[in-house]
Amino acid sequence: MEENTKTYTAEQIDAIDGSLPIYQLLEMDPGNAAILMASGMSCVTCPAAFMESISEACMVHGMDPEQVLDDIKYYMKKKYVEEDQADEND
């Protein structure tokens, strides 16, 4: 199993917005797919939807893009930022 070597700062995560294409969000962290699917976006790997922005995909599915972005940012910060801070304190 490949070790995760990606790192993101809180500022980078806060910069994620609705214009980000779904494929880029999934490249950042494939775990974001679970958040999108749990929000009601079960077609995140569909070739057509894959190229949509987060806001476009939310609009199609009648979802609040701000809530979805909040969930994504919470997940990303929990995974990357808090781990980095814990590593620095060791």
Side-chain angles (χ1 to χ4, degrees):
M1 187 167 168
E2 186 177 315
E3 186 176 325
N4 183 5
T5 59
K6 295 178 185 177
T7 60
Y8 299 102
T9 65
E11 292 79 19
Q12 288 171 311
I13 294 167
D14 285 336
I16 296 171
D17 66 19
S19 67
L20 185 71
I22 297 291
Y23 81 90
Q24 285 183 346
L25 179 66
L26 298 178
E27 283 178 351
M28 290 178 77
D29 188 304
N32 285 316
I35 295 168
L36 296 174
M37 288 189 285
S39 298
M41 202 177 301
S42 59
C43 59
V44 294
T45 58
C46 168
F50 201 64
M51 298 300 291
E52 288 180 326
S53 71
I54 296 168
S55 290
E56 291 169 332
C58 287
M59 182 183 67
V60 168
H61 291 279
M63 299 161 47
D64 177 8
E66 292 306 315
Q67 180 61 55
V68 173
L69 286 167
D70 286 347
D71 293 344
I72 289 166
K73 290 176 184 182
Y74 176 80
Y75 162 76
M76 296 281 290
K77 285 182 179 177
K78 196 91 167 127
K79 183 171 181 177
Y80 295 100
V81 177
E82 291 182 12
E83 278 184 10
D84 287 345
Q85 290 173 351
D87 290 343
E88 289 173 8
N89 293 329
D90 288 338

